[in-house]
């Protein structure tokens, strides 16, 4: 279960920080997630200290960390520092969408709409070219730009049309990004309020990819030999894993259900008995405890060990059968996999 209260977020951050000390090779993704939890727990000063620590350790993606730091600093009163970081990031012209999106949204959140629009436009001009087809991340830049342009009252341009075309939600972007929507929140008409709730839910679905970035949703996959060894050593876990085939089917069914509910950033982490036992020892818990399984999966995902799901239809299936995904667990029904 994901943390919900500020205290739970801070507890999760502290667990991730402890994990980072045990796995220094995975320190960057672990501390980034810890910082995100600290922000959500309203411990922004501690989050800032983690970002500073990461920036002194030769990180793989310093511009992303600076963007996160800028957004965090502005939220707790350090506007001048945040602006300086944002200016430096724009001057560096990141080759990845994430830093651009974070700083553009930080500007938007503080009513710097013209600067936010310019930032989104700079990013789109740099990253969306004939040689670089649209991805989910660059489409998000166009969606953010579309939203800011609606707030500014700008007419549609070519990129707005692309954003409209790529949008797959049930409510059109023009309606989703209508500045007048806020008026509906003061209505006494139940039908208007229900319509606004539907719009907000759709917007939440659009934003879930960004929100879920610090919390990758990954399920635990035990290869057949590892599962057999696990159950031999810890037979109490047999209730969790009646058979290897059932285990695989449950993974695919759970991921499909999560995807259908709008959850993005899904993945699979591969388990091994030695790794699981080492994790249990670090947590001072018995490997026979079923409750440890989800925490183990979350930690592997936090360390960047998740394989994205779903694979493409022609890619090897995640279950390691060697078959293409479309002919294995990617088939439409269990009968198709026989």
């Amino acid at each position: 279960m994901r943390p919900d209260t500020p205290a739970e977020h801070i507890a999760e951050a502290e667990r991730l920080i402890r994990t980072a000390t045990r796995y220094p090779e995975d320190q960057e993704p672990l501390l980034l997630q810890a910082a995100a939890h600290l922000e959500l727990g309203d411990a922004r000063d501690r989050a800032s200290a983690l970002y500073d620590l990461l920036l002194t350790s030769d990180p793989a993606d310093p511009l992303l960390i600076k963007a996160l730091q800028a957004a965090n600093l502005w939220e707790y009163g350090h506007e001048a520092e945040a602006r300086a970081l944002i200016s430096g990031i724009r001057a560096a012209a990141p080759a990845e969408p994430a830093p651009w999106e974070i700083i553009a949204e930080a500007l938007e959140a503080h009513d710097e709409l013209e600067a936010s629009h310019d930032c989104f436009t700079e990013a789109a001009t740099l990253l969306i070219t004939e040689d670089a087809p649209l991805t989910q991340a660059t489409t998000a830049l166009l969606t953010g730009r579309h939203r800011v342009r609606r707030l500014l009252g700008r007419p549609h341009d070519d990129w707005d049309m692309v954003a409209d075309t790529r949008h797959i939600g049930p409510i059109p972007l023009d309606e989703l990004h209508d500045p007048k929507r806020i008026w509906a929140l003061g209505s006494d008409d139940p039908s208007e309020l229900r319509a606004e709730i539907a719009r907000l839910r759709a917007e939440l679905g659009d934003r879930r990819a960004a929100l879920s970035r610090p919390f990758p949703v990954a399920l635990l996959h035990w290869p057949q030999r590892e599962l057999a060894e696990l159950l031999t050593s810890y037979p109490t876990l047999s209730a969790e894993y009646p058979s290897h085939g059932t285990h695989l089917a449950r993974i695919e069914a759970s991921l499909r259900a999560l995807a259908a509910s709008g959850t993005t950033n899904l993945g699979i982490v591969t388990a091994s008995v030695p790794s699981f036992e080492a994790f249990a020892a670090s947590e001072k818990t018995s490997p026979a405890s079923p409750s440890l399984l989800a925490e183990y999966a979350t930690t592997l995902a936090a360390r960047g060990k998740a394989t994205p799901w779903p694979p493409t239809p022609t890619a090897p299936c995640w279950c390691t059968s060697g078959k293409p995904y479309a002919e294995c667990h990617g088939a439409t029904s269990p009968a198709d996999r026989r």
Side-chain angles (χ1 to χ4, degrees):
M1 192 167 75
R2 293 187 184 186
D4 186 33
T5 67
E8 288 172 342
H9 280 294
I10 290 172
E12 178 65 9
E14 289 170 348
R15 188 186 71 81
L16 288 164
I17 292 168
R18 290 196 303 271
T19 304
T21 64
R22 294 195 296 269
Y23 303 101
E25 71 278 12
D26 298 318
Q27 175 177 276
E28 188 169 334
L30 287 164
L31 293 186
L32 280 176
Q33 291 195 60
H37 279 289
L38 290 170
E39 289 187 36
L40 291 168
D42 201 27
R44 292 187 175 275
D45 54 340
R46 292 185 61 191
S48 182
L50 282 187
Y51 291 134
D52 286 339
L53 175 64
L54 282 165
L55 288 169
T56 62
S57 61
D58 193 24
D61 199 344
L63 293 178
L64 172 63
I65 297 169
K66 288 181 179 180
L68 292 167
Q69 175 72 301
N72 179 57
L73 286 169
W74 205 335
E75 286 298 320
Y76 80 109
H78 296 268
E79 179 181 341
E81 265 187 90
R83 287 184 182 277
L85 282 169
I86 289 171
S87 295
I89 292 164
R90 292 177 70 174
E96 297 295 329
W100 286 108
E101 185 176 9
I102 292 165
I103 61 174
E105 289 185 348
L107 290 163
E108 178 190 356
H110 293 276
D111 295 323
E112 301 279 346
L113 296 182
E114 290 287 355
S116 176
H117 175 266
D118 291 346
C119 195
F120 275 124
T121 303
E122 286 174 31
T125 303
L126 177 67
L127 302 179
I128 302 172
T129 66
E130 291 183 2
D131 298 327
L134 278 170
T135 63
Q136 183 177 358
T138 50
T139 298
L141 292 174
L142 296 186
T143 301
R145 182 177 180 274
H146 183 289
R147 181 179 62 251
V148 172
R149 287 175 66 81
R150 288 285 280 142
L151 291 169
L152 289 168
R154 303 278 176 88
H156 269 37
D157 63 7
D158 289 345
W159 272 333
D160 287 328
M161 296 299 292
V162 173
D164 284 331
T165 302
R166 298 278 293 193
H167 177 64
I168 60 174
I171 297 175
L173 277 187
D174 274 346
E175 183 178 353
L176 202 60
H177 294 162
D178 184 354
K180 296 178 181 178
R181 283 175 49 210
I182 192 67
W183 296 350
L185 295 176
S187 172
D188 293 327
D189 184 340
S191 64
E192 288 186 6
L193 291 172
R194 282 194 294 270
E196 181 59 17
I197 289 169
R199 294 187 189 102
L200 289 170
R201 282 176 174 165
E203 186 167 16
L204 176 62
D206 286 343
R207 302 289 297 150
R208 192 167 283 167
L211 291 172
S212 67
R213 177 174 49 79
F215 318 113
V217 180
L219 299 191
L220 201 59
H221 166 225
W222 292 92
Q224 189 166 11
R225 182 177 298 178
E226 294 291 336
L227 184 60
E229 182 180 343
L230 178 78
L231 298 181
T232 299
S233 301
Y234 309 104
T236 56
L237 296 178
S238 297
E240 302 292 323
Y241 305 112
S243 71
H244 190 250
T246 300
H247 168 53
L248 299 182
R250 284 178 177 174
I251 292 173
E252 182 70 24
S254 297
L255 288 168
R256 290 191 185 198
L258 287 166
S261 72
T263 305
T264 59
N265 198 20
L266 298 172
I268 295 172
V269 287
T270 300
S272 72
V273 173
S275 169
F276 183 56
E277 289 176 335
F279 177 74
S282 69
E283 295 295 313
K284 298 180 174 59
T285 304
S286 167
S289 172
S291 63
L292 193 66
L293 294 165
E295 194 172 337
Y296 175 52
T298 299
T299 299
L300 289 177
R303 294 174 59 202
K305 305 300 184 184
T307 300
W309 180 93
T312 61
T314 56
C317 187
W318 56 264
C319 73
T320 69
S321 66
K323 297 178 183 178
Y325 178 61
E327 298 175 17
C328 193
H329 284 87
T332 56
S333 71
D336 295 329
R337 297 196 292 272
R338 293 173 184 167

